[in-house]
Amino acid sequence: MKLDFGTERMIVEIVDGVGWVTFNNPARRNAVSWEMWVAIPKIFETLSAREDVRCVVMKGAGDKSFVAGADISEFKELRTGDEQVKAYNAATAAAYSAIENFDKPLIAMIRGFCIGGGLAVALSADIRIAADDTVYAIPAAILGLGYGYPRVNRLVHLVGPAYAKEIFFTARKFDGEEALRMGLINRLTPVAALEATTRDYAAMIAENAPLTIATANMAVAAALADESARDLDAVEAMVAKCFASDDYKE
């Protein structure tokens, strides 16, 4: 089943309980255009509400790149002047928030380049499965860009402070083996096995008890949150729902 969100640059399909979200801008290595930023919150809100979606996979169209960050070719037209900059930044922030706060298991299937904003998108997923041709980098130090606390914090939680500093300080490219060793990705597969491996993982997740998965997701989020922001009562309430569920009874 294919869903329409008003742009051909975001392809959304549902197959056997799995939602597939494709960033479809291969001519620009799947850089995210304005219409894509605007569509992303609607896409993830819709997939969250659908009971026939148990798991979601994000991927890039073609074989060159996962996502190449923002489409800077639009900046001259859409991101000049204070008001345009504010509107653009608000749209990107809403898109990242929609991905990061998605309440179902989210897998990033990575092929080719995964650099800068594209890596930020991948880090927003719960699980990253990558082909052995992948290349990773955050070139902010070369470009003179600043990364705020939320993006840095997410990276530190994944790879630890020493690797996070190496990634930012050197701005160099890392291959798939290095990314796996650092914990930047969960699994590394041959290119030919990437889609099959991802489908198997997504199917495995989709077959499991959704309430248990939602509870685990909430508990992990609480573990990563500042202590003052942890709602442990909500986690315990979810645990109680698991034991009262039909899946547990079965």
Side-chain angles (χ1 to χ4, degrees):
M1 177 191 301
K2 189 172 182 179
L3 305 182
D4 183 9
F5 290 91
T7 172
E8 294 181 353
R9 290 188 173 179
M10 295 298 296
I11 299 172
V12 183
E13 299 171 290
I14 300 172
V15 182
D16 297 330
V18 178
W20 290 81
V21 177
T22 303
F23 291 78
N24 184 37
N25 191 9
R28 301 197 61 79
R29 294 193 172 180
N30 299 318
V32 186
S33 65
W34 171 259
E35 63 188 284
M36 295 164 76
W37 289 122
V38 172
I40 287 170
K42 300 174 186 175
I43 290 169
F44 283 91
E45 181 182 357
T46 299
L47 294 175
S48 174
R50 292 187 65 105
E51 293 185 1
D52 59 343
V53 175
R54 296 287 192 92
C55 178
V56 171
V57 177
M58 298 187 294
K59 68 187 188 79
D63 58 5
K64 301 299 183 186
S65 175
F66 171 63
V67 177
D71 187 347
I72 61 174
S73 69
E74 296 184 327
F75 281 11
K76 191 171 184 180
E77 181 182 352
L78 298 176
R79 204 175 182 275
T80 56
D82 290 344
E83 292 305 314
Q84 280 194 328
V85 169
K86 286 179 182 178
Y88 194 95
N89 290 348
T92 60
Y96 277 117
S97 178
I99 299 171
E100 291 167 0
N101 296 311
F102 186 57
D103 58 356
K104 295 178 181 179
L106 180 60
I107 298 173
M109 188 179 89
I110 307 170
R111 176 85 194 270
F113 288 100
C114 186
I115 291 177
L119 181 53
V121 172
L123 295 181
S124 299
D126 300 305
I127 297 171
R128 282 154 294 283
I129 301 174
D132 55 12
D133 69 343
T134 45
V135 178
Y136 308 84
I138 298 179
I142 294 173
L143 303 172
L145 304 176
Y147 267 59
Y149 173 78
R151 302 280 173 265
V152 175
N153 184 50
R154 183 170 289 273
L155 181 64
V156 170
H157 275 304
L158 269 180
V159 304
Y163 277 136
K165 288 180 179 180
E166 181 181 354
I167 291 168
F168 273 106
F169 290 0
T170 66
R172 74 177 180 87
K173 294 181 177 68
F174 297 85
D175 64 20
E177 290 289 350
E178 288 181 289
L180 182 65
R181 189 164 59 248
M182 289 189 294
L184 199 62
I185 58 177
N186 296 74
R187 289 185 63 83
L188 188 66
T189 77
V191 169
L194 176 62
E195 186 163 335
T197 301
T198 304
R199 287 187 183 278
D200 287 347
Y201 258 69
M204 193 186 311
I205 292 169
E207 290 172 0
N208 288 331
L211 194 57
T212 299
I213 290 172
T215 302
N217 213 5
M218 180 183 286
V220 171
L224 296 176
D226 291 335
E227 190 171 351
S228 61
R230 294 172 185 165
D231 190 348
L232 300 185
D233 289 338
V235 175
E236 287 305 310
M238 287 287 284
V239 171
K241 285 183 179 179
C242 287
F243 284 107
S245 70
D246 291 337
D247 282 326
Y248 177 71
K249 291 173 185 176
E250 182 183 343

